[in-house]
Amino acid sequence: MRISTAQIFNRSADNITSTSNSLYEIQQQLSTGKRILKPSDDPLASAQILKLTKEVEKTEQYQDNIDISRRRLSLEETTLDAVNDATVRVKELAIQANSGAVSDTDRALIATELDELEKQLFGLLNTKDVQGEYLFSGYKGFDAAYSYDGATDKYIFNGDEGRRSIQIGPDSKMASTDSGFEIFENVEGVLTISQQTGNQASHFSEQLITDNVAFQAFNDTRGPAVISFGNVGGVGNNPRYSVEDANGDPVFSGDPPVQLSNIEYLPGDVIEFEGASLIIDAPKVNGPVVINTEDQRTNILNMVHELSSALKNISTESDPEGNEKLNSAVSRALLQMESIQEKNIETRGSIGGRINTMDAQQDVNTEFLLHTKDARSSFQDLDYNEAISQFTLQETALNAAYGSFAKIQNLSLFNYIN
């Protein structure tokens, strides 16, 4: 077989090129630390690497979601803690204002502090998170949770009932927000007496609940109360009244208890029973007056606002009924604060539980990331010891190819022609 000079040159060039390419590829692997530089290097391993990379990216997003949610919930918890502290102070001031040793002037000063607490609470309930969204507005994150309506002299909730959930694991979602409606609006209500309606209704000039606990207990077990009027031998033809419960049984009042049956009623007389104090204007004779009630709810802002207004306007010095009115206003405020504080504690407990759950899920995600990255590394990462050995081998082969080619290219008869 004859080997031409062209064959020798072509074969040598191919060997040098092939060895150079192999050396370059190993050099790229060493510089990147990756065993697979393109899918064609190992199609099966490349598919596994893509799948595992997708899982890593998803899990890292779950970890970011947990960090974001934890910061938001921690801010909410801190805010609710400040709200609770303010509520405790309001409670202290309410009890202080209801003391017999406090004058009207002193109560006005207490009301001034309540006004400052009202402003503080208004700011807390309109707290924004780091993204500039209102914390308690539900889905309406860019609308202030609360605003003051001068026409009704009330604080209005402007948000909705939405709670944003965020993915923290493959099959796990967590509420990362709480609506102000659930925390501040949807609290247990306090009983109030409903005003009579209709042309034949008897109207109250005064309707106080002086003992909310007693009145609530009566309505839960025997209510509603019914006051019946009639002209039964009254002096000067004055009407007489009887008070019965919903079953028709008589109601007693006073200490010692007196049955409220066939009692003469003079204009302006106060009917008192089971924590209620009523004055009925022009009672309709032979017509029952049903003392209907409603479960009235209010948020903390309106509660503080109403209490402050009561302390400013009720006079225990010039109004004979001032003490009863003051006691009624304070008693109502204290009951409302109990409901508000209970809801606050319940929400903070829920936040703590969610943060603990996220911490546990974060640990799970961390373990999953570790194993997934380890699996991906087995397909993707370079074995440097093996690669360096291969690099040295290819480098030696390339040097040998260059050296042998230098020798072979001089093997020509023309070198011997003089």
Side-chain angles (χ1 to χ4, degrees):
M1 181 179 71
R2 294 193 311 171
I3 299 176
S4 67
T5 301
Q7 276 185 296
I8 292 174
F9 274 83
N10 287 337
R11 289 283 180 88
S12 298
D14 288 344
N15 288 335
I16 291 171
T17 300
S18 175
T19 307
S20 295
N21 287 338
S22 298
L23 187 65
Y24 175 75
E25 183 175 342
I26 296 174
Q27 186 182 33
Q28 289 296 102
Q29 289 176 332
L30 287 169
S31 63
T32 61
K34 306 297 182 185
R35 183 176 67 85
I36 299 173
L37 301 175
K38 53 185 182 295
S40 60
D41 292 341
D42 189 337
L44 181 60
S46 295
Q48 291 297 316
I49 289 169
L50 289 174
K51 178 181 177 181
L52 293 170
T53 298
K54 184 178 179 181
E55 290 299 318
V56 167
E57 290 172 349
K58 284 169 54 179
T59 306
E60 286 176 342
Q61 183 61 58
Y62 297 150
Q63 298 291 69
D64 290 341
N65 290 348
I66 289 173
D67 289 337
I68 292 169
S69 298
R70 186 189 288 108
R71 286 196 298 270
R72 188 179 179 99
L73 289 174
S74 295
L75 175 61
E76 182 181 338
E77 187 176 30
T78 301
T79 303
L80 290 178
D81 189 52
V83 169
N84 186 67
D85 289 343
T87 306
V88 170
R89 180 55 183 162
V90 171
K91 202 172 185 179
E92 292 172 352
L93 292 173
I95 295 171
Q96 180 183 348
N98 203 30
S99 170
V102 176
S103 65
D104 290 346
T105 302
D106 294 333
R107 273 189 290 274
L109 293 175
I110 293 173
T112 301
E113 184 174 348
L114 286 174
D115 291 340
E116 293 304 316
L117 288 168
E118 181 183 323
K119 293 176 185 177
Q120 178 191 354
L121 288 166
F122 183 65
L124 289 171
L125 269 57
N126 281 328
T127 298
K128 292 182 180 180
D129 62 16
V130 294
Q131 295 174 316
E133 294 189 56
Y134 288 95
L135 204 59
F136 300 113
S137 292
Y139 293 139
K140 297 181 178 180
F142 294 102
D143 294 336
Y146 282 91
S147 61
Y148 175 71
D149 184 0
T152 60
D153 194 31
K154 297 284 186 183
Y155 285 94
I156 308 299
F157 178 65
N158 302 311
D160 57 29
E161 300 178 40
R163 297 178 75 196
R164 301 183 190 182
S165 294
I166 196 166
Q167 195 89 15
I168 62 171
D171 302 304
S172 181
K173 284 188 175 182
M174 184 65 63
S176 62
T177 63
D178 291 292
S179 170
F181 178 84
E182 184 64 27
I183 304 173
F184 307 118
E185 299 290 318
N186 195 26
V187 297
E188 185 177 344
V190 177
L191 279 187
T192 59
I193 298 173
S194 302
Q195 184 63 269
Q196 301 287 303
T197 59
N199 294 331
Q200 300 301 315
S202 296
H203 291 274
F204 305 128
S205 61
E206 182 178 289
Q207 47 183 15
L208 298 177
I209 300 177
T210 55
D211 188 335
N212 291 81
V213 175
F215 188 69
Q216 178 79 58
F218 174 82
N219 276 273
D220 289 344
T221 56
R222 302 176 61 190
V226 178
I227 304 176
S228 301
F229 288 90
N231 286 321
V232 186
V235 178
N237 206 30
N238 290 321
R240 305 180 79 82
Y241 71 90
S242 299
V243 183
E244 298 174 342
D245 63 16
N247 298 319
D249 296 326
V251 173
F252 292 78
S253 177
D255 186 18
V258 175
Q259 181 174 325
L260 299 180
S261 298
N262 198 29
I263 307 295
E264 184 176 16
Y265 188 79
L266 299 174
D269 277 357
V270 179
I271 303 175
E272 294 182 309
F273 63 92
E274 300 294 346
S277 177
L278 307 170
I279 297 178
I280 301 178
D281 301 325
K284 306 301 179 183
V285 177
N286 299 322
V289 178
V290 180
I291 309 303
N292 291 318
T293 60
E294 58 181 342
D295 198 24
Q296 193 175 75
R297 297 174 176 177
T298 188
N299 59 57
I300 188 172
L301 292 171
N302 287 327
M303 183 274 294
V304 176
H305 188 69
E306 290 167 6
L307 178 60
S308 174
S309 179
L311 296 186
K312 293 174 185 175
N313 297 320
I314 294 174
S315 174
T316 58
E317 298 169 5
S318 60
D319 184 356
E321 304 297 327
N323 284 321
E324 283 193 353
K325 292 178 181 178
L326 177 63
N327 183 67
S328 176
V330 170
S331 175
R332 177 178 173 78
L334 290 174
L335 277 177
Q336 289 171 333
M337 277 185 282
E338 287 294 330
S339 299
I340 290 167
Q341 285 183 305
E342 286 176 7
K343 197 68 176 181
N344 188 303
I345 293 170
E346 177 186 329
T347 305
R348 282 188 290 163
S350 171
I351 291 172
R354 278 176 277 169
I355 290 177
N356 289 338
T357 300
M358 286 191 292
D359 289 342
Q361 183 64 47
Q362 192 168 44
D363 292 339
V364 172
N365 291 345
T366 300
E367 286 293 320
F368 181 78
L369 273 174
L370 180 63
H371 292 302
T372 305
K373 288 180 178 180
D374 186 57
R376 184 178 64 176
S377 176
S378 67
F379 289 106
Q380 177 177 263
D381 291 344
L382 182 68
D383 183 342
Y384 275 93
N385 291 330
E386 181 182 354
I388 291 171
S389 297
Q390 287 293 324
F391 182 82
T392 303
L393 178 62
Q394 291 296 331
E395 186 180 31
T396 302
L398 182 60
N399 289 332
Y402 278 125
S404 62
F405 180 67
K407 294 288 186 181
I408 292 173
Q409 69 178 347
N410 291 323
L411 296 178
S412 172
L413 291 176
F414 292 102
N415 294 331
Y416 300 96
I417 298 175
N418 294 323

